[in-house]
Amino acid sequence: RRNILSRLLPSNADPDCGRGACRGFKLVFTGHSLGAGCAAILSTMFRPKYPDLQCFSYCPPGCTASIGLSKDCEDYVTSIVVGNDIIPRVKVQNFELLRYECLFLLARVKLPKITVWKDLRKPCRNKDLEARNKQLLYDKDEVPTETFFFQELDSYRKKRLAITNERFPPNTRLTIPGRIIHLIPKDKKKFSYLPYWECREAFHELTLNAEAVVSIFELP
């Protein structure tokens, strides 16, 4: 309302705005998490006035911008995703997939649920986890398909898929804005990461573990 930015940093197209205390500087937007999404949107809004601006978006929500806008802003928006951070993977399709995988996990159970519940309460070393899962669960391609639960689950999956496609057609779905740098932990104790360029499709599912939760609060 007070045009503070225009006064501090007049664009080249506004020679009448005075000298400006920051004339000659470049405009950079940045933010983390929800603030990262806001920074990407603001940079798009101010791009016509400041064509040389840049935006560095740290772990923005996965539902920040449309696919079209995300591609259009690649020249000036760079998003950084840390490890398995949940926030950049937050979007309707991922939660639909997570819900189905949780229900499908129940279909894979071999033993009575009370037996599984009691077993899960016992400590299990990482090296024994694979053998333990084989005792409790069918392999994904060996799940009995003739059970009532599986038939209902398959019907539910198809209904949810139809509803999702109707409410969120592919051309309206949201994603991470701009180019994406994925930081893979190299040495967690030293906050050392291996950066590389990543495509949006790599963030199509949620990973729920302690690392994913901790990474929300970690930035190199």
Side-chain angles (χ1 to χ4, degrees):
R1 184 167 60 91
R2 298 179 181 274
N3 296 320
I4 295 177
L5 179 59
S6 296
R7 294 181 180 181
L8 291 175
L9 183 60
S11 67
N12 294 331
D14 294 333
D16 298 331
C17 286
R19 181 177 180 183
C22 299
R23 182 181 285 277
F25 284 76
K26 290 186 177 181
L27 181 61
V28 176
F29 287 93
T30 188
H32 173 245
S33 193
L34 181 59
C38 294
I41 294 172
L42 283 171
S43 66
T44 300
M45 293 172 60
F46 281 89
R47 173 76 168 175
K49 188 172 183 180
Y50 301 95
D52 59 346
L53 66 77
Q54 289 292 318
C55 173
F56 297 97
S57 183
Y58 292 90
C59 298
C63 53
T64 297
S66 66
I67 295 177
L69 177 58
S70 296
K71 293 180 178 179
D72 290 342
C73 67
E74 287 182 346
D75 291 339
Y76 56 93
V77 175
T78 302
S79 292
I80 297 92
V81 178
V82 181
N84 291 323
D85 193 343
I86 295 175
I87 302 303
R89 296 168 172 84
V90 171
K91 48 186 169 183
V92 173
Q93 294 79 17
N94 287 357
F95 280 108
E96 287 283 350
L97 178 60
L98 176 63
R99 176 167 53 185
Y100 173 75
E101 288 182 342
C102 290
L103 294 173
F104 183 65
L105 185 62
L106 295 177
R108 294 178 58 193
V109 175
K110 295 180 180 179
L111 307 176
K113 304 300 187 293
I114 186 63
T115 303
V116 176
W117 170 251
K118 291 179 179 179
D119 188 83
L120 291 177
R121 292 171 63 108
K122 301 176 184 178
C124 180
R125 295 176 297 183
N126 288 336
K127 66 177 184 178
D128 300 327
L129 188 59
E130 183 176 354
R132 185 186 194 183
N133 286 342
K134 287 184 177 180
Q135 294 178 352
L136 302 177
L137 304 172
Y138 290 106
D139 290 335
K140 291 183 178 181
D141 55 351
E142 295 178 354
V143 177
T145 59
E146 68 279 0
T147 64
F148 175 77
F149 180 81
F150 185 87
Q151 296 292 334
E152 289 293 304
L153 177 60
D154 189 55
S155 175
Y156 175 77
R157 179 186 64 82
K158 293 177 181 178
K159 289 179 181 178
R160 290 304 310 174
L161 181 61
I163 292 173
T164 300
N165 289 335
E166 180 181 356
R167 293 181 178 178
F168 305 97
N171 62 331
T172 65
R173 293 176 183 177
L174 304 178
T175 186
I176 302 171
R179 299 179 300 170
I180 303 172
I181 297 177
H182 195 186
L183 299 181
I184 301 299
K186 188 177 180 182
D187 188 338
K188 298 178 183 178
K189 294 182 180 180
K190 296 181 179 179
F191 289 96
S192 178
Y193 295 84
L194 180 65
Y196 66 95
W197 296 107
E198 188 58 277
C199 62
R200 296 176 184 82
E201 291 72 22
F203 307 97
H204 69 283
E205 62 181 5
L206 291 165
T207 301
L208 295 184
N209 54 29
E211 177 189 346
V213 175
V214 172
S215 64
I216 297 177
F217 305 100
E218 287 185 353
L219 277 176

